[in-house]
């Protein structure tokens, strides 16, 4: 009986090895820009991609693919490796900044992404993590939340699209937020406002030829295909910021 069990385990292990060897272990590299453009257009003809600018690997299972459409729009697509193939989870007709959380509940897996047209003349993006001051009384206890304002700047002089991981100090703040009942773990930035735990938000200010100006999104479209934790980042006005 024992020998039969051992033999069955060996056969099962060998079969599993052959199966994984046949399908390939882990995501397959994706570097064909023409193929990526064709896949985007086949999924949504509105994208009308004329050129894929790059295929940016965030980690082994996530890709950021910026593109230019036939009519000159600078858009973005977001790819995930799932069930042995690359799948497009979202397509945006504009490349305004977004925040992408690759793994729910893991603050270290959050990225800022963008793809701005050259015509915009934006030379720098200044991203901010902000929490306004708050004070009050809850369940008989007084509380006070101090102002938080953290900044991260990225230059667009050499390249108009890009990806940047959330800074470590932003991650540390997220990890310091207490876990709430009913959640799977530490809350992401965009969940704080919804749950009322902490009033944090991300915004940005673009710098045009040395002058900082807040801009507003134009009329655009976005299509989502499956589960993805992707959020818009809205422009800030100078009066929303504090300076020493």
């Amino acid at each position: 009986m024992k020998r039969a069990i051992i033999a069955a385990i060996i056969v099962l292990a060998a079969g599993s090895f052959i199966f994984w060897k046949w399908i390939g272990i882990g995501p397959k590299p994706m570097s064909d820009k023409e193929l990526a453009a064709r896949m985007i257009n086949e999924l949504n003809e509105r994208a009308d991609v004329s050129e894929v600018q790059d295929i940016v690997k965030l980690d082994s299972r996530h890709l950021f693919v910026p593109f230019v459409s036939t009519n000159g729009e600078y858009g973005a697509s977001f790819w995930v490796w799932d069930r042995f193939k690359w799948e497009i989870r979202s397509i945006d007709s504009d490349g305004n900044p977004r925040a992408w959380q690759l793994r729910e509940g893991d603050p270290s897996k959050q990225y800022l992404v963008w793809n701005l047209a050259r015509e915009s003349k934006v030379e720098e993006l200044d991203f901010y993590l902000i929490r306004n001051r708050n004070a009050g009384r809850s369940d008989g206890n007084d509380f006070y939340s101090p102002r938080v304002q953290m900044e991260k700047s990225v230059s667009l002089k050499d390249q108009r699209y890009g990806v940047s991981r959330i800074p470590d100090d932003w991650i540390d703040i997220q990890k310091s937020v207490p876990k709430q009942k009913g959640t799977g773990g530490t809350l992401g930035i965009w969940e704080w406002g919804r749950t009322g735990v902490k009033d944090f938000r991300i915004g940005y200010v673009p710098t045009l030829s040395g002058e900082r100006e807040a801009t507003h999104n134009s009329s655009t479209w976005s299509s989502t295909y499956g589960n993805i934790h992707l959020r818009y980042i809205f422009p800030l006005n100078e009066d929303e910021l504090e300076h020493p």
Side-chain angles (χ1 to χ4, degrees):
M1 181 67 178
K2 185 181 293 185
R3 290 182 178 179
I5 294 175
I6 294 174
I9 293 174
I10 292 174
V11 171
L12 180 61
S16 298
F17 175 79
I18 294 172
F19 173 75
W20 286 105
K21 189 71 174 178
W22 176 65
I23 66 171
I25 299 176
K28 296 179 181 179
M30 179 66 175
S31 58
D32 190 334
K33 295 180 181 179
E34 292 185 1
L35 173 60
R38 187 163 63 250
M39 290 176 65
I40 296 171
N41 287 333
E42 288 177 354
L43 184 60
N44 192 325
E45 61 182 13
R46 292 177 66 190
D48 196 17
V49 177
S50 64
E51 175 194 359
V52 163
Q53 298 157 277
D54 202 351
I55 298 177
V56 184
K57 182 179 177 181
L58 279 66
D59 65 11
S60 63
R61 294 180 177 271
H62 298 84
L63 302 175
F64 172 65
V65 182
F67 63 83
V68 181
S69 70
T70 301
N71 61 4
E73 292 178 333
Y74 284 69
S77 60
F78 304 84
W79 301 52
V80 176
W81 178 265
D82 187 27
R83 299 180 183 178
F84 317 125
K85 64 179 181 179
W86 287 109
E87 293 185 352
I88 302 171
R89 290 294 173 84
S90 183
I91 303 174
D92 293 334
S93 64
D94 74 273
N96 287 330
R98 306 281 196 277
W100 190 7
Q101 184 168 0
L102 309 189
R103 184 183 304 154
E104 187 175 9
D106 186 352
S108 67
K109 289 291 187 178
Q110 298 177 77
Y111 290 80
L112 306 172
V113 299
W114 61 90
N115 181 26
L116 301 187
R118 296 190 180 277
E119 293 76 12
S120 69
K121 298 182 180 180
V122 176
E123 296 181 351
E124 183 176 275
L125 290 173
D126 297 320
F127 292 98
Y128 290 91
L129 174 66
I130 294 176
R131 181 185 66 190
N132 294 326
R133 294 179 185 83
N134 191 19
R137 188 173 181 84
S138 177
D139 296 328
N141 298 313
D142 295 326
F143 68 87
Y144 171 72
S145 299
R147 165 83 176 189
V148 172
Q149 180 175 302
M150 295 182 172
E151 180 181 359
K152 177 182 177 60
S153 299
V154 296
S155 175
L156 306 182
K157 291 182 179 180
D158 297 326
Q159 187 167 276
R160 308 297 297 176
Y161 61 85
V163 170
S164 179
R165 181 173 170 268
I166 294 289
D168 289 338
D169 52 354
W170 294 19
I171 295 172
D172 292 340
I173 283 186
Q174 292 185 77
K175 289 183 176 179
S176 71
V177 176
K179 295 181 179 180
Q180 300 297 299
K181 293 181 179 180
T183 66
T186 303
L187 298 178
I189 287 175
W190 38 80
E191 294 176 282
W192 291 351
R194 178 173 57 80
T195 59
V197 178
K198 300 287 183 179
D199 186 22
F200 278 81
R201 60 193 173 108
I202 298 179
Y204 74 96
V205 178
T207 298
L208 288 77
S209 303
E211 294 187 6
R212 286 155 58 96
E213 297 182 11
T215 60
H216 301 281
N217 294 335
S218 58
S219 177
T220 59
W221 59 266
S222 176
S223 296
T224 301
Y225 312 91
N227 187 35
I228 184 170
H229 299 284
L230 189 65
R231 298 293 183 272
Y232 284 92
I233 302 177
F234 294 101
L236 299 169
N237 294 313
E238 281 293 339
D239 58 9
E240 297 179 80
L241 303 174
E242 292 189 2
H243 301 283

